[in-house]
């Protein structure tokens, strides 16, 4: 399940010289000297006053797809245009097709930025080029009707092992990793970058890096930052290098940019061409983005990510590479000369497994987690046929049902995963969210009339923080005349085993005496939210530093010494004397 995508072999290229000529045409603007050293570009941008990207690329230096465009340019279906200097012609290639929702998102972002930042001159084809390199156009357009990815698109863990070292910045909310960050979504934003550049591209009031409309607008805004004019070559190069400061990355993006500028066409969502070996795996693809570490070669970044890689396996070619296998249409130009046009089979070949006849739960069907954490185990089912044998490659859809804040990894409510060789399919990691209560996770076999399997899930409230000691910040006597209030704030610190503790509930009560701590009916008091006198407060909690400052304490009309008692869960008790003196006759 390794997510690395090796550079695709170009079958059908006449000679190496022809391939070189094609790449020269695609990247003619990338001659040596056009782009200076990495740090030189950044320093120039900062001196110009532009808000240049920081030392961390927008996607954190994750891996990326290194596939290059085919050796002919795309055009409208039914016509062809050759690369400059290449003999002959060829019809439109599948790589020119961009999934409908993805294409719409790019064009929508271009239109929005044309209005809000006309001097940027952002072409949607640039977003398409970056989207191709970062995620294979959202894994071939694997998005729902609203443009949100059906399953998470995650880059490798940025733990410094072959990639940048970026400690967690989102508590795992977007990438499911509370130790390190990972690039997220079709445009591969790291969570810390999304926090600054996230946009609402579809007008639903949310900024979701997993939504292609939001991600495309955010990427466009980032590329336009600092008054860049992307019709100027130097500005264009710097903008792309902000995504990944690598000359190889720059050349790859520019190649697709030139390719898409010569013509594209729309294909249905889910029908886009995936990069070679890109049908499965968690992140973008091969190629180490500018880190120089490991180069992405031979490093199995896919280990341990099977649970998070929820895409169906693609048919393999003769080399074992997973590639899409569309059936060429007569006259499309995709047929091999001298070979008959393939026809779709009318019956499954011998040995083809049948669809699942039954889904059964594997393990417990009751799940629980504490608010703000994730479930220790994910729902899991097994698909078997009528004879009870495991069915591999069946598609299982997991859905979250009910009013809950729980989400699958990637903050999605549904995800479709394939069954493995043993017939089992495991749902993505399930994040509990903050809302407590019960909900249901339903597993169904896609395209099959099979009884669903439901899992009962519960999100429990966080445990109440406790304190075993309370102490005042000062020992100043609290004295005030009747009819007034005590001057200065009363602040206490709650600790548990000597450590200041945040979020500790504290109850403040005026009592008659330490020996007989009954609630007092006279003397000092607080004011509630309606301005009425009260002698007990319960909705008090310590702050992030473990401290609590009490509201203003009124003296009342009675003189004497009174007692305020503060208590916590965990047994902490603190009594504070309050002295009320005779009011000044004046």
């Amino acid at each position: 399940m390794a997510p690395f995508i090796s550079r695709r072999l170009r079958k059908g290229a006449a000679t190496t010289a022809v391939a070189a000529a094609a790449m020269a045409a695609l990247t003619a603007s990338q001659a040596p000297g056009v782009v200076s050293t990495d740090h030189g570009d950044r320093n120039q941008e900062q001196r110009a006053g532009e808000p240049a990207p920081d030392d961390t690329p927008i996607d954190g230096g994750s891996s990326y797809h290194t596939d290059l465009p085919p050796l002919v340019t795309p055009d409208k279906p039914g016509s062809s245009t050759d690369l400059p200097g290449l003999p002959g012609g060829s019809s439109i290639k599948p790589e020119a097709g961009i999934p409908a929702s993805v294409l719409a998102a790019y064009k929508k972002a271009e239109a929005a930025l044309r209005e809000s930042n006309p001097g940027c001159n952002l072409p949607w084809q640039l977003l398409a080029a970056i989207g191709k390199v970062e995620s294979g156009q959202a894994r071939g357009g694997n998005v729902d009707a609203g443009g949100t990815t059906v399953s998470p698109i995650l880059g490798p863990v940025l733990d410094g092992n072959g990639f940048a070292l970026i400690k967690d910045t989102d508590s795992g909310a977007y990438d499911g990793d509370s130790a390190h960050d990972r690039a997220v979504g079709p445009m591969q934003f790291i969570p810390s970058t999304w926090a600054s550049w996230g946009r609402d591209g579809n007008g639903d009031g949310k900024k979701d890096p997993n939504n292609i409309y939001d991600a495309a607008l955010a990427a466009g805004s980032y590329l336009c930052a600092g008054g860049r004019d992307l019709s100027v070559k130097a500005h264009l190069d710097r903008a792309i290098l902000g995504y990944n400061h690598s000359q190889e990355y720059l050349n790859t993006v520019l190649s697709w940019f030139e390719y898409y500028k010569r013509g594209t066409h729309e294909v249905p969502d889910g029908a886009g061409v995936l990069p070679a070996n890109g049908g499965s795996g968690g992140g973008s693809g091969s190629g180490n983005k500018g880190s120089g570490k490991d180069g992405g070669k031979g490093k199995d970044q896919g280990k341990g990510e099977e649970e998070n890689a929820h895409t169906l396996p693609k048919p393999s070619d003769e080399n074992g590479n997973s590639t899409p296998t569309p059936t060429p249409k007569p006259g499309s130009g995709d047929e091999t000369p001298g070979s008959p046009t393939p026809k779709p089979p009318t019956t499954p070949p011998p040995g083809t497994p049948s669809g699942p006849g039954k889904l059964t739960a594997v393990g417990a069907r009751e799940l629980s987690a504490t608010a703000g954490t994730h479930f220790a185990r994910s729902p899991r089912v097994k698909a078997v046929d009528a004879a009870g044998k495991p069915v591999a490659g069946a598609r299982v859809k997991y859905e979250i049902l009910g009013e809950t804040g729980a989400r699958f990894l990637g903050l999605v409510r549904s995800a479709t995963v394939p069954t493995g060789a043993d017939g089992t399919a495991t749902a993505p990691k399930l994040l509990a969210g903050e809302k407590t209560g019960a909900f249901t996770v339903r597993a169904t076999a896609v395209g099959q009339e099979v009884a669903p399997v439901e899992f009962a899930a519960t999100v429990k409230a966080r445990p109440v923080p406790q304190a075993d000691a309370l102490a005042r910040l000062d020992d100043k006597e609290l004295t005030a005349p009747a009819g007034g209030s005590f001057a200065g704030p009363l602040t206490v610190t709650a600790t548990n085993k000597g450590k200041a503790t945040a979020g500790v509930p504290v109850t403040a009560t005026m009592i008659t005496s330490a020996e007989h701590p009954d609630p007092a009916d006279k003397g000092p008091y607080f004011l509630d939210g309606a301005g009425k006198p009260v002698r007990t407060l319960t909705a008090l909690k310590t702050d992030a530093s473990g401290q609590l400052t009490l509201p203003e304490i009124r003296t009342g009309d009675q003189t004497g010494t009174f007692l305020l008692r503060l208590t916590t869960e965990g047994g902490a008790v603190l009594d504070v004397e309050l002295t009320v003196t005779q009011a000044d006759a004046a």
Side-chain angles (χ1 to χ4, degrees):
M1 300 287 287
F4 284 161
I5 316 300
S6 59
R7 190 181 300 277
R8 178 161 44 84
L9 293 175
R10 304 272 186 24
K11 298 178 183 178
T15 62
T16 303
V18 173
M23 283 312 303
L26 281 169
T27 60
S29 60
Q30 304 166 35
V34 173
V35 181
S36 64
T37 62
D38 291 356
H39 296 293
D41 270 353
R42 290 182 187 273
N43 293 337
Q44 290 170 11
E45 192 165 4
Q46 291 168 348
R47 283 197 300 269
E50 295 182 17
D54 58 22
D55 290 337
T56 302
I58 192 170
D59 56 8
S62 301
S63 55
Y64 60 88
H65 296 301
T66 57
D67 285 26
L68 292 172
L71 297 181
V72 294
T73 59
D75 205 340
K76 296 179 180 180
S79 62
S80 66
T81 304
D82 298 330
L83 278 171
L86 287 180
S90 178
S91 298
I92 185 70
K93 292 297 182 182
E95 288 86 348
I98 299 179
S101 293
V102 179
L103 182 58
Y106 296 151
K107 292 183 176 181
K108 185 177 177 68
E110 178 196 57
L113 287 164
R114 186 188 305 121
E115 181 176 347
S116 64
N117 191 354
C120 173
N121 294 305
L122 171 77
W124 66 262
Q125 292 91 341
L126 178 59
L127 295 174
I130 292 174
K132 177 70 174 179
V133 171
E134 291 291 342
S135 68
Q137 308 297 20
R139 286 187 180 150
N142 189 25
V143 298
D144 62 20
T148 301
T149 56
V150 174
S151 54
I153 301 178
L154 297 173
V157 177
L158 298 176
D159 57 2
N161 189 9
F163 298 94
L165 172 60
I166 303 179
K167 296 294 182 65
D168 174 65
T169 61
D170 67 331
S171 299
Y174 289 120
D175 54 18
D177 192 324
S178 58
H180 298 90
D181 272 347
R182 302 174 70 172
V184 178
M187 301 304 281
Q188 291 287 277
F189 279 83
I190 55 172
S192 58
T193 308
W194 184 258
S196 300
W197 292 95
R199 298 290 187 270
D200 177 14
N202 59 357
D204 63 356
K206 297 183 292 185
K207 300 176 182 179
D208 182 2
N210 300 289
N211 183 277
I212 184 60
Y213 291 95
D214 293 358
L217 182 57
S221 300
Y222 183 92
L223 294 168
C224 288
R228 290 195 188 104
D229 179 355
L230 298 180
S231 65
V232 177
K233 181 63 170 65
H235 288 203
L236 175 65
D237 287 353
R238 286 205 301 272
I240 297 171
L241 288 170
Y243 238 102
N244 184 309
H245 223 69
S246 157
Q247 184 66 37
E248 180 186 3
Y249 180 85
L250 173 66
N251 292 348
T252 305
V253 170
L254 287 174
S255 298
W256 283 105
F257 180 40
E258 293 299 322
Y259 181 75
Y260 287 139
K261 283 199 301 183
R262 297 172 187 243
T264 59
H265 62 280
E266 178 184 299
V267 298
D269 288 345
V273 173
L274 289 172
N277 292 334
S280 61
S284 298
S286 72
N288 189 315
K289 295 185 171 185
S291 69
K293 299 176 184 177
D294 216 353
K297 297 178 181 179
K299 187 166 187 59
D300 185 7
Q301 287 289 336
K303 289 183 179 179
E305 294 187 12
E306 288 82 0
E307 186 179 40
N308 299 333
H310 306 300
T311 53
L312 292 176
K314 300 296 179 183
S316 299
D317 61 17
E318 62 271 27
N319 297 318
N321 295 327
S322 175
T323 59
T325 55
T327 302
K329 298 180 180 179
S332 67
D334 289 340
E335 308 93 23
T336 302
S339 64
T341 301
K343 296 181 180 180
T346 55
T347 57
T352 299
S354 60
K358 184 179 181 181
L359 290 180
T360 58
V362 178
R365 295 178 64 170
E366 295 184 357
L367 314 171
S368 65
T370 301
T373 66
H374 64 268
F375 287 77
R377 61 177 296 273
S378 295
R380 190 181 186 192
V381 298
K382 183 174 184 178
V384 296
D385 60 18
K389 295 182 179 180
V391 177
R395 300 173 65 202
V396 176
K397 182 177 182 180
Y398 286 98
E399 297 176 276
I400 296 174
L401 308 177
E403 294 296 326
T404 177
R407 296 291 185 270
F408 290 121
L409 185 66
L411 301 184
V412 295
R413 292 186 68 102
S414 66
T416 301
V417 301
T419 56
D422 61 352
T424 62
T426 303
K429 183 180 291 186
L430 187 57
L431 310 177
E434 295 294 341
K435 184 179 177 65
T436 59
F439 64 96
T440 300
V441 178
R442 177 180 294 168
T444 56
V446 178
Q448 302 289 328
E449 294 185 1
V450 176
V453 174
E454 293 188 347
F455 297 82
T458 304
V459 178
K460 302 177 181 179
R462 297 172 185 264
V464 177
Q466 298 187 350
D468 54 20
L470 282 171
R472 290 181 58 185
L473 289 190
D474 60 56
D475 56 0
K476 180 181 177 181
E477 291 185 1
L478 296 176
T479 303
S485 60
F486 292 92
L490 172 57
T491 302
V492 298
T493 300
T495 57
N496 193 42
K497 297 180 180 179
K499 183 178 180 181
T501 307
V504 176
V506 179
T507 299
T509 305
M510 302 295 177
I511 59 175
T512 55
S513 69
E515 295 78 15
H516 303 285
D518 299 321
D521 58 1
K522 61 182 179 179
Y525 60 89
F526 302 102
L527 293 178
D528 65 10
K532 296 181 179 180
V534 293
R535 291 186 170 87
T536 298
L537 292 178
T538 57
L540 303 173
K541 284 187 178 181
T542 57
D543 61 17
S545 61
Q547 295 183 356
L548 168 66
T549 299
L550 270 70
E552 180 185 32
I553 304 174
R554 300 293 182 95
T555 60
D557 297 330
Q558 301 288 326
T559 61
T561 300
F562 302 89
L563 210 57
L564 167 63
R565 172 163 288 184
L566 305 176
T567 59
T568 72
E569 290 286 338
V573 178
L574 175 65
D575 289 340
V576 180
E577 283 190 354
L578 304 172
T579 303
V580 181
T581 62
Q582 187 70 37
D584 191 340

